[in-house]
Amino acid sequence: MGITFVEKSDLSHPKRNPKLALVLAGGAISGGAFKIGGLIALNAFLTNRKVTDFDIYVGTSAGAFLAAPLSSGISPEELLRSIEGQSARIRQFKPTDFYLPNWREFISRPAKLVRDAATFLPSVSGAFARFVLEHRGEVITLARRFLRDPSYQNAERLLGPIFRETSRATDLRSGLSYMPSGIFDNANIERFIRDNLRRNHVPNNFRLMWLERGKSLYIAAMNLNTAQGVVFGHDEDNSATISEAVQASTAIPGFYKPARINGQDYLDAGIRKTANISHAVRKGADLVIVYNPFRPFVNYYADQLLNNQRSIADMGLFAVINQAFRTMLHTRLKLGIEALAFDPAFKGDLIVIEPTETDAKFFNMNPLAFWQRAVAAEHGFASVKESIERHQARITRVLRAYGIQTDLQGLRESLQAIRRANYDEGTIMEVLREAGSSAAEGAGSEAGQRRVPLRVVR
């Protein structure tokens, strides 16, 4: 477990000019450092091709946050340096970038309530008086009937028309509409992507990115008012900049207010699709590699409870919600994989990388704990390394057909060094950086001279 394969091509013959796609699913904040560590492990495993050398990138929610810099040539090792604030290319992503309070709506909506309430009584009184004067005969008859028989039905006949008329005359809407549309504002996520693309002289435009780098970047979101999925890209909807598309894709409902871009409101892409694998296939990907960090936790093994012998229900409300959302997301992902497996039009290959279903450590990881970034990155690295090791023969066979060479030894040595560090944050980060950087140097001489496109299949 940990890797799912869909093999539909003839792997006995090398592919000619194949297309490689990297599809990154969501994962909230807990999946951020975890996915970076996993991508570093994948980078170290691929000796002549790196995760910045794919042809197609598809990002959903937190995956969009990573797909944008990866497609622009920024390595996962560099993203790891930025977590520490030690990158010369990417500024540090801080808690204030993630937790920007939705100040505007927290001030403007209560102010609107106060204003509407101030005009409410005069408006109601005037509307009531007008209605009674215009329909006094009917009102008197209904009032007498109610006095003779003060039942609920007679009260409704008397007061119902009055309430309907007065409600039309006032602007006091449902009380829920005065609540903010989200607790936080993800405008700083847009600014973070925009500033760092500029800092690296990368155009914040899908078409220019494609023209300059030859990379197809696709970022998914959901239009709030139509409930329809939207894909931003150079040959799709390109009305938004890359940074705006990331903001739209990461607008977690309730947590963030909807991202308003060019007059349209958007929410997190994960509401409609978990990973958007099918989009990579539609764009011609032959090999699709999917990285999905969230899957449901199986709390039983050999008829015994795992996770310290506790049921998930005993872990509290958050654990229950966590399991529910993981199950929903993963069920949709499995349905997408099955549809692709039986789709006669798809003749490529798919590799889906995930944590194992009994990974209690990641399930229990606090998604808001910035202070656990080193542990999360190490665990993501270890998770991908162990999954690759378990399926080494099969994954090597698939990748070899696409001209991709692999080496597991470097992964093993790096993980041993990490564990010798005994969770010292600085040492773990240094080992992870060296793991990816040394592999990148080995690939540089060959990949720099000859570009071998790789296709990722889910």
Side-chain angles (χ1 to χ4, degrees), residues 100-106 108-109 179-188 224 247-248 250-260 265-268:
L100 173 66
N102 185 11
W103 293 118
R104 180 171 297 180
E105 289 188 359
F106 271 103
S108 65
R109 297 210 175 186
M179 295 179 63
S181 59
I183 300 171
F184 298 100
D185 183 348
N186 68 344
N188 276 355
L224 175 61
Q247 181 185 7
T250 56
I252 304 168
F255 189 80
Y256 286 127
K257 74 173 188 176
R260 181 162 294 178
D265 290 325
Y266 297 95
L267 286 180
D268 192 310

Side-chain angles (χ1 to χ4, degrees), residues 115-409:
R115 187 185 70 191
D116 287 353
T119 61
F120 177 70
L121 287 177
S123 298
V124 168
S125 300
F128 177 80
R130 285 192 302 271
F131 181 83
V132 170
L133 288 174
E134 292 171 3
H135 304 85
R136 56 181 172 272
E138 182 182 352
V139 170
I140 291 172
T141 301
L142 291 171
R144 287 174 177 170
R145 185 179 299 172
F146 174 75
L147 291 174
R148 287 194 303 268
D149 179 16
S151 63
Y152 172 78
Q153 290 82 355
N154 286 334
E156 187 175 25
R157 291 190 187 102
L158 173 63
L159 299 176
I162 298 175
F163 286 156
R164 284 194 293 271
E165 185 63 26
T166 54
S167 65
R168 292 193 195 102
T170 61
D171 191 35
L172 194 65
R173 301 161 293 171
S174 166
L176 293 177
S177 65
Y178 292 100
M179 295 179 63
S181 59
I183 300 171
F184 298 100
D185 183 348
N186 68 344
N188 276 355
I189 291 180
E190 186 277 331
R191 187 175 296 111
F192 177 85
I193 297 294
R194 171 165 38 96
D195 290 348
N196 285 302
L197 289 176
R198 184 189 302 119
R199 194 171 179 177
N200 287 275
H201 308 290
V202 175
N204 189 16
N205 180 286
F206 287 98
R207 287 180 174 177
L208 292 178
M209 167 84 82
W210 179 71
L211 289 171
E212 288 190 12
R213 288 189 48 79
K215 309 294 184 186
S216 296
L217 171 63
Y218 299 102
I219 293 176
M222 189 199 86
N223 187 304
L224 175 61
N225 290 302
T226 66
Q228 296 300 308
V230 178
V231 176
F232 296 99
H234 74 278
D235 55 354
E236 294 284 347
D237 186 335
N238 48 62
S239 61
T241 64
I242 293 173
S243 57
E244 288 173 338
V246 172
Q247 181 185 7
S249 187
T250 56
I252 304 168
F255 189 80
Y256 286 127
K257 74 173 188 176
R260 181 162 294 178
I261 299 169
N262 299 325
Q264 296 292 326
D265 290 325
Y266 297 95
L267 286 180
D268 192 310
I271 297 171
R272 284 188 58 88
K273 289 189 176 182
T274 301
N276 282 278
I277 301 169
S278 59
H279 194 79
V281 173
R282 283 198 300 273
K283 294 302 177 180
D286 301 302
L287 172 64
V288 181
I289 296 176
V290 182
Y291 192 3
N292 173 51
F294 274 1
R295 66 180 302 168
F297 172 56
V298 178
N299 199 27
Y300 276 96
Y301 181 75
D303 295 328
Q304 298 227 352
L305 279 170
L306 303 177
N307 212 346
N308 298 321
Q309 304 282 314
R310 292 188 301 166
S311 169
I312 291 176
D314 297 331
M315 301 175 202
L317 175 64
F318 177 79
V320 174
I321 295 174
N322 186 17
Q323 179 77 330
F325 274 96
R326 284 170 176 258
T327 302
M328 179 187 70
L329 293 170
H330 197 255
T331 298
R332 293 188 315 194
L333 182 64
K334 288 199 298 184
L335 289 173
I337 295 171
E338 291 172 4
L340 198 62
F342 291 105
D343 183 358
F346 177 60
K347 304 184 185 302
D349 301 285
L350 175 69
I351 300 172
V352 183
I353 302 174
E354 302 176 290
T356 62
E357 66 273 25
T358 55
D359 190 340
K361 183 176 180 179
F362 184 51
F363 181 78
N364 291 327
M365 196 169 291
N366 184 349
L368 308 179
F370 278 90
W371 55 89
Q372 287 187 334
R373 60 191 185 275
V375 175
E378 178 271 331
H379 192 57
F381 185 95
S383 173
V384 170
K385 178 261 176 190
E386 290 166 4
S387 294
I388 288 174
E389 192 169 37
R390 191 176 298 113
H391 300 277
Q392 181 184 9
R394 191 171 183 183
I395 195 171
T396 299
R397 176 172 170 266
V398 174
L399 295 178
R400 186 183 296 125
Y402 289 89
I404 305 168
Q405 299 171 14
T406 61
D407 177 25
L408 190 61
Q409 186 57 35

